[in-house]
Amino acid sequence: EPKYCMCNRRIMANLFRMEADGANIHQIGRSSLFEEYPVVLADGRILYDRWEYVDRNFADAQALWTCNADGTRHALFWGNNTACPGALLNARPLADPSRAIAVFSSCHDRPWGALGIVDRTKGVDGREPVLRTWPAEFRNKVRGSSNNSLRGQFFDATVRLPCKYADPFPLDDEHFLCARQTGHGEEMGLVYLDLHGNEVLFHRDGLGCHDPMPIRPSKRPPVQSAQRNYVEVKAPGRFYVQDVYVGTHMKGVKPGSIKALRIIESPEKRTWTVPLSWSGYGQQAAVMNWHSLENKRILGTVPVEADGSAYFEVPGNTFVYFQALDAEGKMVQSMRSGAYVQPGEIFSCVGCHENRVTQAPPPAKAVKALQRAPSKLDGAYNLRGLERGTPPHFYSFQREVQPVFTRSCVKCHDYGKKAGEKLNLS
């Protein structure tokens, strides 16, 4: 896609699919930054890694995700709220569909680091799901982003490893191939390793070797039926939320207090600037703090029913996130990740930040939101209807903030005024 990385000026990429002869090319990934290393799972889904920024730490933002082969049902696999490793790359599935081996890498490094085996049945973040790492002691460095007792930044922990790994490929669930440093600078050789403690460098050649892969028959995965519209790129899809009060970060939110969801688009970065730091960093310093790497566009609000359910339309192929609002239109909770639907897709989730591991209890009675047509975005900024009907637009300091200062503050905080000498808001 013609867009820049939000923290530099490199061109980003997304997932596409096509026929074997190159026909019918369709984009199936729409995150705002980068998607890479797709591999087909045994059930026909795609396992890949996604890099995204949605109101979060800029450096531990690369996790493993899955989707259907038509680009529907993008969902977290593991690591979206894990501070270390800072990046998860080049995952390969094991026979157990809940397990994968991947490169545990860093935000600021080449695509190498430690290797790790993850079992997502034990959780989708943190250390417990990590069954094994190479080197073995690196497992002790794995930690979730929510562990506030651990201070510091850990997203570049693999940079200091004396020997780095890359390109894992499982021969079976206990025996693996990979690339690894040979001990001669950055030269890489091919290595066999297993769960029994063996690690053998078996081939090196020229300036280095990468991507070992056995040539052997493999079982063809099932062909999934399409669950989307391929013709109309921006045709709407639908989101269904069973209960907004169910979720990993909704503790203490009183049932009945959430009245609406605000739908916000997190657009891609189409331009870049040269500020005092980070060449090409698209900062908007007057609007957002230093760590916010993108502008926003509010698309509107949709109602949340008394039972916590919501059902609504969103334009297809649009990277959005949700904010839970109270009766005054104030935000109670905000997503730290993005979501999107393909045209015609219906995407359902249990609640806000569901853990995706345990089975969700069925609702005790009929869900109210599903007893009506899906809500349409109203274009409103909040429940009071301020700017209702205003076309969605990028957040702008000059448009959103300065009029408030001009109306209420500039009469004192201006040039030639005493208060303006300390704080000029003209």
Side-chain angles (χ1 to χ4, degrees), residues 354-418:
E354 61 177 85
N355 64 27
R356 297 191 180 276
V357 174
T358 58
Q359 186 72 22
K365 52 186 177 181
V367 177
K368 290 188 175 181
L370 293 182
Q371 299 179 36
R372 56 169 174 77
S375 304
K376 295 184 182 297
L377 297 174
D378 62 2
Y381 267 33
N382 59 31
L383 291 181
R384 293 174 179 171
L386 299 179
E387 299 197 40
R388 185 177 295 276
T390 300
H393 55 271
F394 287 120
Y395 192 82
S396 163
F397 184 91
Q398 294 287 5
R399 179 171 181 167
E400 322 295 336
V401 180
Q402 186 58 46
V404 179
F405 290 158
T406 301
R407 181 174 63 250
S408 305
C409 311
V410 169
K411 60 185 178 182
C412 297
H413 292 271
D414 199 355
Y415 292 102
K417 304 286 187 178
K418 186 175 181 180

Side-chain angles (χ1 to χ4, degrees), residues 18-37:
M18 64 182 182
E19 306 296 335
D21 62 357
N24 295 322
I25 299 174
H26 292 284
Q27 186 170 347
I28 62 171
R30 289 282 175 171
S31 63
S32 56
L33 262 79
F34 198 71
E35 297 150 345
E36 61 182 342
Y37 293 122

Side-chain angles (χ1 to χ4, degrees), residues 204-215:
R204 54 192 295 184
D205 185 28
L207 297 177
C209 308
H210 300 268
D211 290 305
M213 183 183 301
I215 299 175

Side-chain angles (χ1 to χ4, degrees), residues 14 92 111 125 128 141 144 203 225 239 298 313 331 363 372 381 426:
N14 288 102
R92 293 278 182 174
D125 275 297
E128 185 178 356
K141 295 183 180 294
H203 183 74
S225 59
F239 281 101
I298 297 175
E313 287 188 351
M331 184 190 77
R372 56 169 174 77
Y381 267 33
S426 66

